[in-house]
Amino acid sequence: MTDFLQLIPSAEGAPALLIGGEAVPATEYEDVTDPATGAVVAAQPLAGNAEVDRAVRAAGAAATTWAGLPGRRRGAVLLRWAQLLRENSEALARLATAEMGKPLGESRGEVERAASEIEYAAGEAARMTGQTIPGDLPEALVVTERIPLGIIAAITPWNFPIVSPVRKIAPALAAGDTVVVKPAEEAPFSALAVVGLLEEAGCIPGAVNVVCGAGPMVGAALVEHPGVDGISFTGSTSVGRRIAETAARRLAPVQLELGGKNAAYVHSAVDLGRVADEIVAAAMQCTGQRCTAISRVVVENDLADELVAALAARVDALTVGPGTDPGTNVGPLVSMRQQHTVVDHVQRGLAGGAIRASAERPVPPDGPYVAPVVLDHVTPDMAVATEEIFGPVLSVLRVEGLDEAIAVVNGTEYGLAASVFSTDMDVALRFMRGVGSGMVHVNHGTASEPHVPFGGVAGSGMGAFSIGDTAKEFFTRLRVGYLRAPAPA
Ligand code: ADP
C-alpha cells in the first residue's frame, strides 16, 4: 500500500463512507483510476439512498451540539484541522495527483491554500456578528443575529479535490452548520481524507459526513432530501441550474460556483513578455481545468503579433507529462472523455478559420494528454470563443479599442473572472466597470486569494460569494430581535 492511501478512511479492508463519525462500508464499489497511468488508485465506496438519508440524519443529530459550541471553540477545531492538513501535506498532495492528475507541485500548493482558507474561516467563527439598529419604540433595542443555516449539502468537482470540499466545510463549521459532502466521482478520496482528519482535530462525530457516488443519483438524492437546509455546489452551469430549480421548490438557499470563459484584455504594456507570463500561468495551471482559467486573450490589433509569438513560445516550452514527474508543467486531463472534448474543440476552431500559433508536438501516448494550444485569429462567433473548454487552450481574439474589447469579453453566457493589462489606469477602471464578471484583475492573471470573496455572476454563479467575509451570508441566516424592558408596574 502506498503511503497516501492510508489517509483514506477504511472499513472491512476497503475505503469507506464517513457517516456519523464512523467509517461505513458500502455495498457497491467502483474503481477510481489515475489519469496519468490508468492504474487503479482504490475502489470508491458508493452510497445509495439509504446512506444519503443516514448521512443527513447524522448531520441533523450533530447540529445542536455543534451550533451550541462557542464560536471560538469551533474556530480552535478549524485551526487544528489546518495544522493537520499541513502535517499531512505530502500524502494529501500525492493522493490528489493520483486521482485527478495535476502536477504534484500544484497539489502541494492546493493543500497550503486549503489550510489558509480554513485558518481564515477559523477566525470568522468568532465574528458571526449582527447589528444594532435604532428602533422606534422608546428605550428599546433592535438587534440582528447570525444563526446557523442548518444542514448543508456540499457538492464538489474533481479539479480542486482538496480545496473545493474545504471551501464549503470550513465556513459551514465556522457558522455552526453541519455538513454532508458529495465529492466528485472522478476524485472522491481527497475529500474522504481531509474529512477523516477532522475528528483528530476535535470535531464532533457527524458534524461532517461524506457520501460518494454518481452525481445524478447520490448528488441528486442529497439535493432533494427535505432535511437539507442549503446547498453549496461547485461544478458545471447545467447541473447548477438543475440544482437551483430543485432547491427553489422547497425554498432552500443555494450557493453556486459554476463555469467560466475568462478573458484577458491586453490593451498596453511596458513589457509584453511579462504579460504573456501571467496569461500562460493563469491559462495552463491544472491543465486549463480551473473555472477561473484564462481561456480567451482579447488583444489590441497593434500588439497582437508580438503577444501571440510570446504566448506561443511560452506554451511550447511547457513540459507535458505525469503529475508525479518533477519536470512536468502540464499534467494529463482528468479523463479520455475530457481529452476528446478538448481535441474536438480545437479541431472545430481550426476548421472555422482559427490558426494554430503553438507547435503541434507529441505527448505521452498512454493517457489523456494534450499539448497546450494557442489559437490565433479566433472570432467571437466561434465555439472556442464562447464555450467553456476546460483544457489547455487559449483563444486569441483581435480587437480595436476598449469598447470592442468589452463587447467581446461580455459575449458569453459566463461572468466569472477577467483580467486587463494596461498602463492606463483609466482604461483599466473602465474595463473593470464595463465587464460582467464577478472578479476583475488589473495587470495580473486570474488568481484569487484565500481571504477574498470569490464568485461569479450570470452563468457563472448564484448566491453569496464564497471565501472571505461574504461566505457567512450563505452559511447563516438572520434573526431579528426587538428587545424592550418590561413596562414598569
Ligand atoms: P464537471 O463537469 O466539472 O464534472 P458536474 O457539474 O458534472 O461538473 O459535477 C460537479 C459535481 O456535481 C460532482 O460531484 C457531480 O457528481 C455532481 N453532480 C452531477 N450531476 C448532478 C445532479 N444532477 N445533481 C446533483 N449533483 C450532481
Side-chain angles (χ1 to χ4, degrees), residues 16-390:
L17 306 165
L18 277 176
I19 302 177
E22 285 173 36
V24 174
T27 46
E28 277 185 78
Y29 293 82
E30 188 177 70
D31 285 344
V32 172
T33 53
D34 179 340
T37 61
V40 174
V41 178
Q44 134 174 240
L46 300 178
N49 284 345
E51 285 81 14
V52 170
D53 186 56
R54 198 171 146 191
V56 175
R57 285 174 194 277
T64 308
T65 307
W66 183 252
L69 288 178
R72 288 197 308 117
R73 287 269 303 279
R74 296 197 301 266
V77 169
L78 289 172
L79 286 178
R80 281 200 293 279
W81 192 35
Q83 193 182 340
L84 285 169
L85 256 69
R86 290 208 174 91
E87 284 169 15
N88 290 280
S89 172
E90 191 58 23
L92 283 171
R94 286 187 181 276
L95 182 56
T97 291
E99 60 181 358
M100 60 66 66
K102 72 172 65 170
L104 206 43
E106 289 184 23
S107 292
R108 292 185 185 115
E110 185 176 342
V111 178
E112 173 55 34
R113 170 66 182 246
S116 302
E117 291 195 19
I118 294 170
E119 285 165 345
Y120 181 86
E124 283 291 271
R127 285 193 290 267
M128 294 294 155
T129 51
Q131 296 171 292
T132 61
I133 303 167
D136 285 348
L137 297 174
E139 292 173 34
L141 177 66
V142 182
V143 298
T144 65
E145 289 188 284
R146 285 196 178 273
I147 58 174
L149 181 57
I151 300 172
I152 305 295
I155 300 178
T156 58
W158 46 264
N159 57 341
F160 285 90
I162 297 166
V163 157
S164 283
V166 160
R167 187 170 290 174
K168 301 181 189 314
I169 296 166
L173 291 180
D177 297 320
T178 57
V179 188
V180 180
V181 185
K182 207 303 280 176
E185 47 271 56
E186 293 87 345
F189 296 122
S190 300
L192 283 165
V194 291
V195 174
L197 294 171
L198 254 174
E199 200 175 338
E200 203 181 326
C203 195
I204 66 168
V208 183
N209 309 273
V210 186
V211 288
C212 305
M217 290 153 75
V218 182
L222 199 51
V223 171
E224 281 158 20
H225 198 294
V228 167
D229 298 302
I231 300 141
S232 179
F233 168 81
T234 302
S236 62
T237 302
S238 59
V239 173
R241 190 171 284 127
R242 193 170 319 146
I243 286 175
E245 283 167 6
T246 307
R249 268 184 243 129
R250 63 172 199 281
L251 303 180
V254 293
Q255 177 187 49
L256 307 178
E257 279 182 27
L258 309 174
K261 187 69 187 175
N262 314 294
Y265 169 45
V266 183
H267 165 266
S268 49
V270 177
D271 180 350
L272 264 187
R274 297 266 300 271
V275 172
D277 288 339
E278 290 275 343
I279 292 174
V280 169
M284 300 303 166
Q285 203 200 5
C286 204
T287 317
Q289 303 166 118
R290 292 191 311 135
C291 50
T292 52
I294 291 177
S295 65
R296 295 181 292 160
V297 178
V298 178
V299 58
E300 288 295 329
N301 278 320
D302 58 343
L303 299 179
D305 288 343
E306 189 185 341
L307 182 69
V308 167
L311 292 171
R314 281 156 182 76
V315 154
D316 289 344
L318 296 172
T319 302
V320 181
T324 47
D325 189 334
T328 291
N329 307 115
V330 176
L333 291 159
V334 71
S335 63
M336 295 310 252
R337 190 161 59 96
Q338 189 62 16
Q339 185 196 37
H340 289 142
T341 307
V342 172
V343 170
D344 182 57
H345 264 294
V346 172
Q347 281 169 350
R348 279 195 287 149
L350 292 170
I355 293 171
R356 187 197 296 265
S358 52
E360 278 192 85
R361 56 184 166 123
V363 289
D366 46 357
Y369 294 97
V370 172
V373 182
V374 177
L375 290 178
D376 195 5
H377 297 284
V378 171
T379 52
D381 53 308
M382 293 182 191
V384 282
T386 56
E387 291 177 19
E388 185 176 46
I389 299 176
F390 237 52

Side-chain angles (χ1 to χ4, degrees), residues 264-270 272 275 279 297-304 307 397 399-403 405-406 419-431 442-443:
Y265 169 45
V266 183
H267 165 266
S268 49
V270 177
L272 264 187
V275 172
I279 292 174
V297 178
V298 178
V299 58
E300 288 295 329
N301 278 320
D302 58 343
L303 299 179
L307 182 69
L397 298 100
V399 295
E400 194 67 50
L402 177 65
D403 291 341
I406 290 175
S419 286
V420 53
F421 293 88
S422 178
T423 54
D424 181 337
M425 281 309 279
D426 179 50
V427 167
L429 199 57
R430 286 202 287 143
F431 179 88
V442 176
N443 289 319

